[in-house]
Amino acid sequence: QVQLVQSGSELKKPGASVKVSCKASGYTFTSYAMNWVRQAPGQGLEWMGWINTNTGNPTYAQGFTGRFVFSLDTSVSTAYLQISSLKAEDTAVYYCARGGGRVAARNFDYWGQGTLVTVSS
Amino acid sequence: SYVLTQPPSVSVAPGKTARITCGGNNIGSKSVHWYQQKPGQAPVLVIYYDSDRPSGIPERFSGSNSGNTATLTISRVEAGDEADYYCQVWDSSSDPLYVFGTGTKVTVL
């Protein structure tokens, strides 16, 4: 069965960096895109971008350029989200989500359990 | 960017029908997906391509899409259906490419 297992909660100080991992199993990792979705406390879902698991090419949504980096280690079927120069407003749950659906009708068919990143001094 | 608007909340008695709308400009020309998110849990896909159900999702969940409104319908509502629900579309001309609705909290009375 498809599973996406994310790393545990993180507590960081402003200005620090964090790296969240998402380990996939139950399918061929390079056959599906991997997306990242943010959910701030009490707020809705916000798509951050995706990474092509074949080429490693990332695409970032508006508002997620500069401090956010998507990467892969295909040898262990794992995607990573790194956030640098953390700010208090980065406090959120971050989800990885597998890209599903046909062309021009994409969705997220499987999700990781989420990683809470808290930024506080 | 493309905007999807949902009512903040819907209340429904057990056994009744809940309807959650998702409004967007000419949304009927796009494929709409719906996610259920229970407190402290990750979202789960419950409807894709407007009206298809993934395996394991009860037949009580159905969807439709036409004009400027897509609708998620939950029939014979149960206490376990209490959750936040989000619609989502993919729009190649938008940034972001994937757009989520504002979310609807379904409360079972």
Side-chain angles (χ1 to χ4, degrees), chain B residues 9-70:
Chain B
S9 62
V10 167
S11 297
V12 59
K16 299 299 185 182
T17 298
R19 292 181 179 84
I20 305 159
T21 58
C22 175
N25 183 37
N26 198 25
I27 195 174
S29 67
K30 305 180 188 300
S31 276
V32 179
H33 316 289
W34 291 91
Y35 302 88
Q36 176 193 67
Q37 186 180 33
K38 296 182 179 179
Q41 297 185 19
V44 172
L45 182 66
V46 294
I47 291 289
Y48 64 100
Y49 302 158
D50 298 338
S51 59
D52 289 347
R53 276 177 292 103
S55 60
I57 301 302
E59 291 183 10
R60 301 183 298 103
F61 288 82
S62 62
S64 63
N65 184 20
S66 178
N68 293 316
T69 304

Side-chain angles (χ1 to χ4, degrees), chain A residues 23-99:
Chain A
K23 182 170 178 59
S25 62
Y27 71 99
T28 302
F29 183 67
T30 52
S31 293
Y32 295 83
M34 189 64 75
N35 296 267
W36 291 93
V37 176
R38 182 172 76 176
Q39 187 169 38
Q43 302 301 306
L45 303 170
E46 186 176 20
W47 180 71
M48 302 172 64
W50 70 286
I51 186 164
N52 185 317
T53 53
N54 261 313
T55 64
N57 183 48
T59 298
Y60 302 96
Q62 204 174 53
F64 293 100
T65 55
R67 298 189 299 116
F68 300 84
V69 176
F70 307 147
S71 61
L72 303 170
D73 185 342
T74 56
S75 68
V76 290
S77 300
T78 300
Y80 301 94
L81 163 66
Q82 184 162 359
I83 312 171
S84 59
S85 303
L86 283 163
K87 308 174 184 180
E89 50 264 42
D90 294 323
T91 294
V93 175
Y94 292 85
Y95 293 100
C96 59
R98 194 180 82 163

